[in-house]
Amino acid sequence: QVQLVESGGGLVQPGGSLRLSCAASGSIFGIMRMGWYRQAPGKQRDLVAIISSSGVTNYADSVKGRFTISTNSAKNTVYLQMNSLKAEDTTVYYCNALVNWHNYWGQGTQVTVSS
C-alpha cells in the first residue's frame, strides 16, 4: 500500500501563490509517476500536472506558465508551485501516484482564490 499526504492548500488572493506538497510513504518502490489533479463539485477530476520518474512533465493548458511541478531528490515527494492564481483555480486538488501500474490518491486539499 501507498499513502499520500498532501499539504499546502489554503486561501490566497488573485495573483498570489501557493505551494502544494505531497509525501508518499509505504510500498513506494516502483513509483512511475506522480502528479496533481483537481476536481470541482459535480465535475470530473482533471489533470493539472504530472511528472514521470525520469523527470518528464506535462501540464494542463490552463496552468502552463503559471504552475510548476517538481519532486525532491528521493522522488517520493511531489510539489506544485502555483503562481498567478486565478479565481477559476479554486477547487480541491488531489495528489496522485502511479506505482507499479496501481493508482493511489491523496485525501485532497482545498485551494481557494478569492479577494
Side-chain angles (χ1 to χ4, degrees):
Q1 277 292 69
V2 173
Q3 295 78 43
L4 301 175
V5 178
E6 301 142 337
S7 61
L11 172 65
V12 65
Q13 292 186 344
S17 299
L18 279 177
R19 188 193 197 206
L20 304 183
S21 300
C22 173
S25 62
S27 302
I28 59 174
F29 180 80
I31 290 181
M32 304 168 69
R33 185 186 69 209
M34 295 187 76
W36 293 93
Y37 291 71
R38 61 190 182 186
Q39 185 173 22
K43 296 190 175 182
Q44 69 179 21
R45 191 168 294 185
D46 294 326
L47 178 144
V48 176
I50 53 175
I51 183 167
S52 73
S53 57
S54 60
V56 177
T57 59
N58 189 31
Y59 295 90
D61 287 343
S62 60
V63 307
K64 283 180 181 177
R66 300 188 298 124
F67 292 9
T68 302
I69 191 169
S70 62
T71 61
N72 64 347
S73 57
K75 298 186 180 179
N76 58 7
T77 300
V78 63
Y79 307 98
L80 186 69
Q81 177 66 41
M82 304 186 293
N83 299 329
S84 302
L85 281 160
K86 305 175 182 179
E88 50 263 44
D89 296 316
T90 296
T91 191
V92 179
Y93 286 70
Y94 294 90
C95 177
N96 171 267
L98 183 65
V99 184
N100 296 319
W101 298 108
H102 288 87
N103 258 314
Y104 297 91
W105 295 94
Q107 78 283 2
T109 185
Q110 176 71 42
V111 171
T112 302
V113 184
S114 175
S115 55

